[in-house]
Amino acid sequence: MTLHIFNPEHDIALASGLSNFTAPHAGRQLCHDLGFLPAIWAKEEDTIVVDDVAQAEREWKKTAHRLEKLLGRDCFKAGNRKFLTWKQLVSLKETARIDPWGWNIALRAVLLRRGVDERLMPSLRQLDVIRNLSHRHTAAQLLPKLRMAGTVGESFECRTAEEVETLLEHYGQLVMKAPWSSSGRGLRFLSVGRTPFQMQAGWFNNLVATQGCVMIEPYYNKVKDFGMEFQSDGCGNVSYLGLSLFHTENGAYTGNVLSTEAVKRESLCHYLSTELLDKIQAMICLESGSLFKDRYCGPFGVDMMVVSGTNGSAALLHPCVEINLRRTMGHVALALSPQDDDIRCVMRIEYSNERPSSAASVNKNYKLTINKL
């Protein structure tokens, strides 16, 4: 039996590097409202940890019925998922493994306090390795190995203002990225003549002091976001799971397309050749297999983007914008992939600004919605 945990604050916890970490309100709210999500990929004998069992059962029942109606699949049985609260973990004796959204030392500390067997978790040394691999320099190291005809992408690890100023003069526009940050956060943009480095010097210096460096990349004119999802067995083998076509607003995730792999490939082939996509997929499996051997076992995703070519040339592929060493919403979307090419839906996480009626109540601000395209 597997114990599933949805801990969407994982990226922020990694950035903090703290075992006694308290997630910001938005992260706690997201975890509370969508804690039932692992029911989508869990097996019938598995258990999912949630804040509120009654709410999780209610939301999962509605979601399962919606999935059956839209996707034409009856594999999501609302009554065949077991939920329990964090306080009930101490009574759980049959767990064979723990499968969280992502592993970090803060989650390990919480599980230990709840009486979970330490042998079911990565050691502190292993978690330190995972944190280091989650640093954006991992993507920067992989990127040159994926560069081939039809691709773009460069990334630099900077610690001084002089380094950034030199890059800005050369490229004209830059993106500065925090080494550890959650989707859509930890980004700043520089442009010659409009947003000089001095405007972001305080942010840059603070990150260098707290996280050791800042990752600097040329700015590209993005046409389309997408990603590829994988699974590492920790022994040097990496399996390709499928494409993820997702939407963002101001860099933050807003939703995923639910369709067959064939339909998603067809969509991308308006910009990129299938040959290029297949080559990149194979290279990621090869290179990440070596990189993660004896270091990381679990799901991960590689974010990519289609960018405009220069002077009217064909679109280009940035093959490694970011590596997410955890489960992603792309993995969730793959678990919901329809089997019929004619079925196309969009999965979104929607946010409501409704205020709670009392200080003691918890308002459901986040909802998972699935609708036909």
Side-chain angles (χ1 to χ4, degrees):
M1 186 271 284
T2 297
L3 181 71
H4 297 273
I5 302 170
F6 179 55
N7 55 319
E9 75 285 356
H10 166 69
D11 291 338
I12 307 174
L14 272 185
S16 77
L18 302 173
S19 57
N20 292 320
F21 167 78
T22 300
H25 173 75
R28 299 196 305 273
Q29 191 72 53
L30 185 60
C31 184
H32 177 275
D33 297 344
L34 299 183
F36 69 91
L37 270 186
I40 292 171
W41 59 88
K43 297 179 180 179
E44 290 189 19
E45 65 270 18
D46 293 346
T47 299
I48 300 126
V49 184
V50 295
D51 290 338
D52 184 325
V53 170
Q55 182 210 350
E57 290 175 341
R58 183 170 60 251
E59 293 300 318
W60 169 235
K61 183 177 181 180
K62 290 193 298 184
T63 300
H65 289 163
R66 183 72 173 163
L67 294 173
E68 183 176 349
K69 179 181 178 180
L70 289 176
L71 303 180
R73 295 165 58 182
D74 60 359
C75 57
F76 301 107
K77 298 296 185 183
N80 293 338
R81 295 293 188 271
K82 181 181 178 182
F83 300 96
L84 54 74
T85 65
W86 291 92
K87 291 182 179 180
Q88 294 171 313
L89 280 178
V90 67
S91 63
L92 200 63
K93 303 298 182 184
E94 300 177 358
T95 303
R97 59 186 292 266
I98 301 174
D99 184 14
W101 190 256
W103 274 112
N104 56 71
I105 60 172
L107 175 61
R108 185 180 190 273
V110 169
L111 291 171
L112 286 175
R113 289 197 295 270
R114 295 298 182 184
V116 177
D117 191 336
E118 185 176 12
R119 292 171 296 180
L120 297 172
M121 308 175 215
S123 67
L124 289 175
R125 185 191 64 81
Q126 289 172 315
L127 290 176
D128 188 54
V129 169
I130 291 174
R131 184 174 188 266
N132 287 331
L133 286 172
S134 298
H135 190 290
R136 279 195 165 103
H137 62 207
T138 299
Q141 292 167 6
L142 182 60
L143 182 56
K145 300 176 182 179
L146 304 178
R147 288 295 307 274
M148 60 185 72
T151 68
V152 294
E154 294 178 276
S155 184
F156 307 91
E157 195 169 332
C158 296
R159 293 174 175 81
T160 68
E162 291 73 22
E163 291 174 307
V164 181
E165 294 278 18
T166 299
L167 290 170
L168 183 58
E169 182 179 354
H170 178 73
Y171 290 102
Q173 290 180 285
L174 297 176
V175 183
M176 301 196 297
K177 298 183 177 181
W180 290 282
S181 65
S182 58
S183 178
R185 296 182 178 137
L187 304 181
R188 294 293 188 275
F189 299 89
L190 301 178
S191 177
V192 170
R194 293 197 301 272
T195 50
F197 174 75
Q198 288 76 14
M199 293 180 65
Q200 302 293 346
W203 182 86
F204 175 88
N205 291 330
N206 180 63
L207 270 178
V208 171
T210 57
Q211 296 192 22
C213 71
V214 173
M215 304 303 297
I216 307 294
E217 302 174 9
Y219 174 84
Y220 297 101
N221 186 16
K222 182 177 65 178
V223 175
K224 189 177 185 65
D225 284 310
F226 76 102
M228 293 184 182
E229 310 299 342
F230 301 88
Q231 179 79 24
S232 167
D233 70 356
C235 299
N237 303 304
V238 168
S239 303
Y240 170 70
L241 302 180
L243 288 168
S244 169
L245 302 188
F246 59 90
H247 305 291
T248 60
E249 290 182 10
N250 299 320
Y253 171 86
T254 58
N256 258 88
V257 172
L258 304 182
S259 60
T260 63
E261 183 77 358
V263 169
K264 287 182 284 190
R265 282 173 66 90
E266 181 183 2
S267 174
L268 287 177
C269 285
H270 290 295
Y271 312 97
L272 307 168
S273 70
T274 55
E275 180 183 12
L276 178 59
L277 291 173
D278 290 341
K279 284 183 178 179
I280 292 298
Q281 171 195 320
M283 287 300 295
I284 291 175
C285 287
L286 177 66
E287 297 294 341
S288 62
S290 300
L291 181 63
F292 297 151
K293 184 178 181 181
D294 300 323
R295 303 174 79 191
Y296 177 73
C297 176
F300 70 97
V302 179
D303 288 349
M304 308 177 183
M305 63 181 176
V306 180
V307 304
S308 296
T310 57
N311 300 321
S313 61
L316 300 170
L317 169 65
H318 191 312
C320 189
V321 176
E322 187 170 299
I323 299 176
N324 294 302
L325 214 62
R326 53 168 170 78
R327 196 176 300 275
T328 71
M329 292 306 294
H331 288 93
V332 179
L334 288 175
L336 297 175
S337 295
Q339 298 170 335
D340 188 333
D341 288 347
D342 292 329
I343 298 177
R344 305 181 189 190
C345 299
V346 60
M347 173 187 73
R348 293 190 180 94
I349 293 178
E350 297 185 345
Y351 178 73
S352 169
N353 281 316
E354 294 178 5
R355 295 184 178 277
S357 56
S358 68
S361 65
V362 179
N363 211 39
K364 292 187 299 177
N365 288 327
Y366 292 95
K367 290 187 177 181
L368 179 74
T369 65
I370 301 170
N371 297 293
K372 286 186 177 180
L373 280 173

